[in-house]
Amino acid sequence: MKNVTITLDEETAAWARVHAARHNMSVSRMVGEMLQRSMHEHTQYDQAMRRFLARKPRRLAQGGTPFPSRESLHERNPAPKLAARKVRR
């Protein structure tokens, strides 16, 4: 293990102490676990990006077939209008 010193403002340090105590751990362990999670997520993202970029590009449309227009892709049927309800008092 390697020791690292961090600087926090008072509000953040107070939150960290309370949060760590609620999870029965030290602030040091909590920060270490947060950094490990972040490192793991970035590693997974990088691996997924490399796999994606290694794939051979493919055509989205067959030769001579035009792409759909933006309007047709985002066409929505209007929601049915609800009849006005009478409110009893």
Side-chain angles (χ1 to χ4, degrees):
M1 291 281 180
K2 183 75 175 167
N3 288 330
V4 177
T5 301
I6 61 171
T7 304
L8 303 171
D9 61 77
E10 284 298 321
E11 183 181 357
T12 304
W15 177 87
R17 284 190 296 274
V18 170
H19 186 77
R22 285 184 180 157
H23 291 86
N24 297 318
M25 65 175 74
S26 67
V27 172
S28 180
R29 181 174 166 207
M30 181 186 74
V31 170
E33 287 182 4
M34 291 170 76
L35 290 172
Q36 282 180 329
R37 262 193 314 276
S38 181
M39 181 179 69
H40 183 70
E41 289 169 3
H42 281 80
T43 301
Q44 286 182 322
Y45 177 84
D46 291 341
Q47 289 171 349
M49 181 62 83
R50 278 194 292 278
R51 282 193 309 271
F52 175 77
L53 294 174
R55 292 171 39 187
K56 182 179 177 183
R58 62 185 179 117
R59 291 188 178 273
L60 297 177
Q62 301 302 324
T65 306
F67 290 110
S69 69
R70 181 179 180 353
E71 291 76 22
S72 68
L73 289 174
H74 296 283
E75 234 174 52
R76 292 190 177 103
N77 294 330
K81 293 185 180 182
L82 300 174
R85 290 191 212 172
K86 291 183 181 179
V87 177
R88 294 184 185 197
R89 294 184 188 196

